[in-house]
Amino acid sequence: MIKIIVGTCVAGALALPGLVQARPVVLTTQLQSYGGNGAYLAIYITDAAGKYKKTLWISGTKEKYYKHMSDWARGSGLNAREFDGLTGASVGSGKSLKVTVEVADVLIDAGYEIRVDSAVEDGRDTPADARVPLTKQGAGKPVKGRGYIKSFNYEM
């Protein structure tokens, strides 16, 4: 019995590093040219059912506008722990945002998706403005947005 317990502990210890392995992923969001203020963007991961899992990046630092990125706001519960340290300036019309984030290897090719909600002050809000499956094969392939986002892609 002790051999089984020890063997299980050793196997678990060897497997654990594989579960927490992460890789840098470069996210690039190019905005359309539009009239108005800078866009707020919420970049996050959802599971295969579309349920929120993790915030990757927030552009725009005024938290009062976060509720306008409705799918992300609902999923994250606007809990500051979900986005603390993951924020930067809003993104202007026609400009691009390029950030590098860490993504756990277990999320890649496992049915997860990267989504981007967008909102502009005095403009419309666009939940899931861009969405793309999180796969090795999809890396480097831009997708077109539905609102303020001209294109979005990720590189591994």
Side-chain angles (χ1 to χ4, degrees), residues 30-97:
Q30 176 67 46
L31 294 187
Q32 305 274 4
S33 291
Y34 61 88
N37 296 315
Y40 274 61
L41 304 173
I43 305 173
Y44 57 103
I45 294 177
T46 62
D47 65 14
K51 185 177 177 190
Y52 169 88
K53 289 297 176 188
K54 176 183 169 87
T55 299
L56 297 174
W57 190 260
I58 301 295
S59 71
T61 56
K62 293 181 183 172
E63 290 183 32
K64 69 181 182 178
Y65 296 116
Y66 290 0
K67 65 184 176 192
H68 295 282
M69 298 177 289
S70 58
D71 285 357
W72 169 79
R74 186 173 30 264
S76 70
L78 294 177
N79 182 339
R81 288 189 311 250
E82 291 291 315
F83 54 84
D84 188 35
L86 301 174
T87 58
S90 60
V91 185
S93 170
K95 303 291 182 186
S96 64
L97 169 71

Side-chain angles (χ1 to χ4, degrees), residues 68-151:
H68 295 282
M69 298 177 289
S70 58
D71 285 357
W72 169 79
R74 186 173 30 264
S76 70
L78 294 177
N79 182 339
R81 288 189 311 250
E82 291 291 315
F83 54 84
D84 188 35
L86 301 174
T87 58
S90 60
V91 185
S93 170
K95 303 291 182 186
S96 64
L97 169 71
K98 187 173 190 174
V99 295
T100 301
V101 299
E102 292 287 320
V103 175
D105 287 343
V106 297
L107 301 178
I108 299 166
D109 291 322
Y112 291 87
E113 201 172 63
I114 298 175
R115 294 189 184 187
V116 187
D117 287 5
S118 66
V120 172
E121 186 179 354
D122 298 326
R124 71 181 191 277
D125 305 339
T126 310
D129 189 338
R131 55 192 290 184
V132 60
L134 182 55
T135 63
K136 290 176 189 166
Q137 187 176 9
K141 296 180 180 173
V143 296
K144 186 176 177 0
R146 304 179 311 113
Y148 297 105
I149 297 174
K150 183 176 184 178
S151 67

